[in-house]
Amino acid sequence: MTAHRRRAADHAVRACFSVREAPGITVTVSRDGTGLGTTARHTAQRVLAEAGRGYLGGRVELRTPRPPAQVTSRPSAFGTRRRRAVRRAADRAVALAVAATLRGDAAGVRVHVRTSL
């Protein structure tokens, strides 16, 4: 056994939603550089409206994985694919977190970021 172990890379988006009576969605995003705040807000509003609770508001806390290091051979191809995968995972995580909160379940949700090369 070696003295140093490699830490597993965290390739997941975590979302937590809390309901409040005042309308409007507040979004807190860690490591945002891709406009995830707007996407998370729209997703939360859409899920609340679909559940018949459009009059409610809430707060979304979104934690995203660390941005990947720049690849010198194909910098734009990998970065674009990664951003899309993170955005899709964030969309799923917010929708699941809002639905879980409305059901009365635990509000924290973790969604794996699916990237294929």
Side-chain angles (χ1 to χ4, degrees):
M1 182 182 290
T2 63
H4 299 285
R5 289 187 176 185
R6 291 181 57 171
R7 291 180 60 187
D10 186 18
H11 298 291
V13 174
R14 291 182 175 88
C16 185
F17 182 75
S18 57
V19 179
R20 59 179 184 203
E21 296 295 322
I25 304 292
T26 305
V27 179
T28 305
V29 181
S30 68
R31 299 184 192 105
D32 186 21
T34 60
L36 287 177
T38 304
T39 303
R41 183 178 303 113
H42 289 300
T43 301
Q45 289 171 342
R46 177 180 49 84
V47 173
L48 284 171
E50 288 175 357
R53 308 288 172 109
Y55 57 89
L56 292 175
R59 180 169 190 247
V60 176
E61 293 179 26
L62 195 62
R63 294 187 185 139
T64 59
R66 189 175 356 166
Q70 291 291 332
V71 178
T72 57
S73 60
R74 298 183 316 149
S76 62
F78 183 72
T80 302
R81 189 176 302 143
R82 176 76 173 171
R83 282 190 299 272
R84 285 182 190 155
V86 169
R87 182 169 287 143
R88 283 191 307 267
D91 190 41
R92 285 191 310 269
V94 170
L96 291 172
V98 172
T101 301
L102 292 177
R103 280 192 316 265
D105 295 341
V109 175
R110 183 174 182 242
V111 175
H112 184 72
V113 176
R114 298 178 188 154
T115 56
S116 59
L117 294 176

